[in-house]
């Protein structure tokens, strides 16, 4: 994280007023900093848009201690997580439906259980792999709650 040095030595511009408004009537406003661009407030910081807000960065940290090296964890990719869980639950449903077809007086019931159990057993490693390797964001890190 960038930490500015104080006092700053070199040319700089300081604007102090009760309110400052920058308004681009026909195009855009661009802010560039070779080290950092910082927005800070004693109150709130608002970002509003009528279309969308894009944050483009190799790492996005939400919270002061969001990096994995401190007290953070990777965000979850919701659609990918749901896909993995639905796939596994579909296999679990097939297994429980097979259990409903069991007739204790029919020896062939064992093969029904075995077939359904084999399918469920086969689904478990791919689900675990999917949960461990595909549902965690590689970009967004969130600060853990210390509850």
């Amino acid at each position: 994280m960038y930490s500015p040095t104080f006092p700053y030595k070199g040319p700089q511009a300081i604007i102090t007023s009760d309110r400052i408004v920058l308004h681009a009537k026909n195009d855009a406003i661009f802010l560039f900093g070779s080290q950092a661009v910082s927005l800070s407030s004693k109150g709130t910081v608002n970002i509003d848009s009528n279309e969308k807000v894009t944050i483009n960065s190799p790492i996005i940290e939400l919270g002061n201690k969001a990096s994995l090296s401190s007290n953070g964890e990777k965000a979850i990719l919701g659609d990918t997580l749901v896909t993995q869980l639905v796939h596994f639950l579909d296999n679990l449903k097939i297994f429980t439906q097979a259990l409903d077809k069991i007739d204790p007086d029919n020896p062939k019931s064992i093969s029904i259980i075995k077939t359904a159990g084999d399918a469920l057993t086969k689904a478990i490693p791919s689900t675990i792999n999917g949960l461990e390797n595909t549902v965690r964001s590689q970009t967004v890190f969130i600060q853990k709650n210390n509850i």
Side-chain angles (χ1 to χ4, degrees):
M1 184 172 172
Y2 173 76
S3 293
T5 56
F6 293 101
Y8 184 77
K9 295 184 191 279
Q12 60 182 319
I14 299 173
I15 301 170
T16 302
S17 182
D18 290 339
R19 177 179 284 187
I20 298 170
V21 176
L22 300 176
H23 181 250
K25 186 176 174 184
N26 291 315
D27 199 358
I29 296 173
F30 299 95
L31 301 173
F32 297 97
S34 67
Q35 296 295 315
V37 173
S38 178
L39 301 174
S40 180
S41 171
K42 289 182 181 179
T44 62
V45 174
N46 304 310
I47 300 173
D48 301 313
S49 174
N50 287 337
E51 292 181 27
K52 69 178 181 176
V53 174
T54 301
I55 300 173
N56 183 17
S57 176
I59 297 174
I60 299 169
E61 295 183 348
L62 303 175
N64 275 343
K65 299 176 182 174
S67 71
L68 288 177
S69 61
S70 60
N71 193 27
E73 60 183 52
K74 294 178 178 181
I76 295 296
L77 304 174
D79 292 342
T80 305
L81 175 62
V82 168
T83 299
Q84 289 291 326
L85 292 175
V86 166
H87 173 70
F88 181 72
L89 291 173
D90 283 343
N91 283 287
L92 188 58
K93 181 180 176 184
I94 290 167
F95 180 74
T96 59
Q97 288 171 339
L99 291 178
D100 285 342
K101 295 178 183 175
I102 293 175
D103 177 0
D105 298 326
N106 184 350
K108 292 183 179 183
S109 292
I110 297 298
S111 68
I112 294 171
I113 295 171
K114 174 139 179 47
T115 301
D118 288 347
L120 184 59
T121 300
K122 185 178 177 184
I124 289 171
S126 66
T127 302
I128 289 171
N129 182 54
L131 291 173
E132 289 178 343
N133 299 311
T134 64
V135 302
R136 294 183 186 118
S137 173
Q138 299 303 309
T139 304
V140 180
F141 299 86
I142 302 172
Q143 181 176 328
K144 289 181 187 177
N145 252 343
N146 290 330
I147 297 176

